[in-house]
Amino acid sequence: MDRKRTFGLVLPMALALSACGGGGGSGQSSPQPQPPAQPAASIVPVEGPARDLPADYASYNFNLLRVSGQVESAALVQGLRALNPGGLRIPGGTPGETWSWSRGGLRPPPYPGLPAGSGFSAEIEAISGLTPSVVDRLLDQVGTPALLSANMLTADLDENIADIRAFRAVGQPITRLELGNEEYFRTPNPRARFPTADQYAAAAAAWSSQMKRDVGGLSIAAISPPPLRTVGVPFDDWMDALDRSGAWATIDAVAVHPYFDLAGQTPLASPQSAEAFVASLIRHDDTFLARVRQRLPAGKAIWITEWNVFETQSAPVTGGSWIGGLGAAARALNFLDHSAVDLSVFHVAIGERQWSALVTPDGLAADFTEGRPLVTSAPPFAQTAYGAALSLLGEAVRGGGTAQRLGLGQDEASKPLFGYRFRSLNGEVRSLFLNATPGSVAVRANGRARQLSAPYGAGVSSGAGVIRRDFPISGESLDLPAFSITLVTP
């Protein structure tokens, strides 16, 4: 990690505070009371160095196939707007590998030179009409730009350049472009198109050079496999190939997907295990990003274009619970500690029920309260735990500007307590505090607070557990309850 540090000036007089929030959740039959917190010292935040913050920092992967029949829906627009997205990655991950923007959906197989189909059902392959003009209207209503995921498997360079021009012709400012999606996996089509890392690197060099000549105004990222586990082509082999290709002359960033694997782990059974879970996420990301940074040429950025946790509905660990959402917001804040990271694209805005920021169009959501895999009814496009926590982050970073770490006297990789101050381009200051520990903490702050807190295992989309407060801060003392996130504005 390139900028982790501990600040903090602790006042000698402690403020006696009782614990807030509850402790029930996964693995227990009902919410249990939190253990009494020790009196918490009032902490004076000390600002670290400022770093630039792009306007689209807090973005979302947006699988357009999930909303194919809903693009005119006011509920969809309202749900997306409520997330405060900096941007939306379209057409979204794997669909981008077989997408045709002229058709407005997946191009049906066969694909010349490739052995396999799209991997989607015939019903999904038949969806069309999501053209640049249709998607542009949705993006305009939401008030957010697009990060374009290029199709390097079933479309050629000229078609991708035409796609960029089509979006710009309808007024959509495509300024970020990612060259493909996870082509390092050795599934049949990526293996056939890019048998080696050198062949991907050569294509990345040629495509980025031609795109910048023909359309300009683009920041372009090459993709990279994860450095901590081998999922196909090893990380170092892939990065070696990019180095040999000369691609860095016209490539601005590398796009990575730091997923965290919960497969085989047991459900969280106590507030302490919930705290340890978030701390383990931070340690994982610190190690992952430090490893990427070691191989990155000077002046190049890291784009995190997908991230979440792997778990299944049949064996949940965090699922749709509050600690999952709080952990996601903690990770996005911690990414800011890595100065090369200038994009955080959460997976996903709308998608699989166990990790979606919004309830899916079918009105069903994951709720693993009490440790049981459960699908519950909820309003379509309502916020899940992920969406609720990340929406406050989106509001905090809206418009970009600068970001500064607030020193709360903690190493977040062992005790997940975060503070960040954001200054927008017009000078407005917002602060975001996240407490993923079982005890309350007091900090000095001024202004008005908007706060979400809940028992760590509460399900949010089902309407259970979350406490929402909006209040003026009295006497410069702000209480951060256990398992809470708090936005402070003037």
Side-chain angles (χ1 to χ4, degrees):
M1 171 163 209
D2 56 13
R3 206 162 62 81
K4 178 70 75 179
R5 53 177 53 79
T6 300
F7 297 103
L9 176 61
V10 180
L11 297 184
M13 180 172 292
L15 293 179
L17 295 172
S18 59
C20 294
S26 301
Q28 297 181 3
S29 60
S30 62
Q32 300 296 316
Q34 295 284 3
Q38 297 298 315
S42 180
I43 302 171
V44 179
V46 178
E47 294 182 3
R51 56 154 292 172
D52 290 336
L53 181 71
D56 61 352
Y57 172 76
S59 293
Y60 291 83
N61 191 58
F62 187 46
N63 183 342
L64 286 171
L65 293 174
R66 297 286 183 178
V67 296
S68 59
Q70 306 280 336
V71 289
E72 304 295 333
S73 166
L76 171 62
V77 171
Q78 182 180 358
L80 289 171
R81 286 179 64 89
L83 292 176
N84 297 304
L88 295 172
R89 178 179 181 243
I90 58 173
T94 302
E97 297 177 325
T98 55
W99 196 270
S100 168
W101 282 110
S102 61
R103 182 177 186 270
L106 300 176
R107 65 183 74 229
Y111 309 124
L114 300 181
S118 70
F120 294 96
S121 70
E123 181 182 16
I124 292 176
E125 285 176 352
I127 292 171
S128 63
L130 296 171
T131 60
S133 60
V134 170
V135 176
D136 174 63
R137 287 197 297 273
L138 176 60
L139 293 169
D140 284 349
Q141 287 179 297
V142 176
T144 194
L147 159 67
L148 189 63
S149 181
N151 179 355
M152 296 188 73
L153 287 189
T154 63
D156 61 21
L157 174 57
D158 288 340
E159 184 174 348
N160 277 273
I161 289 175
D163 292 341
I164 299 168
R165 287 173 168 160
F167 270 106
R168 289 186 173 176
V170 295
Q172 186 58 226
I174 299 294
T175 59
R176 290 196 197 245
L177 182 134
E178 182 183 12
L179 293 174
N181 176 73
E182 298 182 338
E183 267 71 75
Y184 41 78
F185 280 109
R186 299 292 81 189
T187 51
N189 286 347
R191 188 190 303 119
R193 183 68 75 221
F194 302 114
T196 67
D198 283 294
Q199 283 162 302
Y200 172 82
W207 282 41
S208 58
S209 176
Q210 187 70 37
M211 285 173 165
K212 289 194 169 182
R213 282 199 303 269
D214 285 7
V215 295
L218 283 176
S219 183
I220 299 177
I223 60 175
S224 168
L228 302 186
R229 62 189 180 102
T230 299
V231 296
V233 180
F235 170 75
D236 283 308
D237 291 352
W238 192 272
M239 297 300 284
D240 286 344
L242 287 171
D243 290 344
R244 287 191 295 266
S245 71
W248 295 115
T250 48
I251 293 290
D252 304 284
V254 63
V256 294
H257 296 172
Y259 283 96
F260 186 86
D261 197 349
L262 290 172
Q265 297 189 31
T266 58
L268 304 180
S270 69
Q272 289 72 28
S273 66
E275 176 184 31
F277 161 69
V278 178
S280 68
L281 295 176
I282 302 308
R283 289 193 296 272
H284 167 270
D285 293 342
D286 286 350
T287 303
F288 186 110
L289 292 171
R291 184 81 171 84
V292 175
R293 187 67 187 87
Q294 288 173 357
R295 292 302 312 264
L296 202 62
K300 303 302 179 181
I302 298 172
W303 295 2
I304 301 175
T305 54
E306 290 183 25
W307 59 275
N308 209 308
V309 296
F310 284 124
E311 60 182 330
T312 64
Q313 189 166 312
S314 61
V317 178
T318 62
S321 65
W322 177 238
I323 197 61
L326 206 60
R331 294 181 76 183
L333 283 172
N334 189 62
F335 293 154
L336 285 168
D337 261 10
H338 298 263
S339 58
V341 174
D342 75 349
L343 183 66
S344 166
V345 180
F346 178 75
H347 183 80
V348 288
I350 300 170
E352 293 81 357
R353 294 173 189 141
Q354 73 269 32
W355 56 12
S356 180
L358 297 177
V359 174
T360 51
D362 59 8
L364 298 177
D367 178 3
F368 296 152
T369 303
E370 301 179 359
R372 297 193 308 267
L374 175 69
V375 175
T376 186
S377 296
F381 311 122
Q383 289 181 350
T384 66
Y386 284 127
L390 290 170
S391 67
L392 282 192
L393 171 70
E395 185 171 349
V397 304
R398 185 182 59 233
T402 61
Q404 292 177 291
R405 165 72 76 176
L406 300 179
L408 302 183
Q410 300 294 338
D411 171 9
E412 298 84 4
S414 57
K415 188 177 181 64
L417 176 64
F418 293 84
Y420 246 100
R421 182 162 295 152
F422 304 97
R423 187 179 300 274
S424 67
L425 296 177
N426 66 7
E428 182 181 350
V429 175
R430 313 177 191 108
S431 298
L432 193 67
F433 297 96
L434 188 147
N435 180 12
T437 75
S440 62
V441 175
V443 297
R444 288 267 183 91
N446 288 299
R448 189 167 192 87
R450 187 177 313 156
Q451 189 173 84
L452 304 179
S453 63
Y456 75 92
V460 174
S461 56
S462 62
V466 67
I467 300 170
R468 303 171 185 269
R469 299 181 63 214
D470 189 337
F471 57 94
I473 298 169
S474 176
E476 296 188 340
S477 181
L478 172 65
D479 180 29
L480 308 178
F483 301 116
S484 66
I485 182 169
T486 307
L487 175 67
V488 176
T489 56

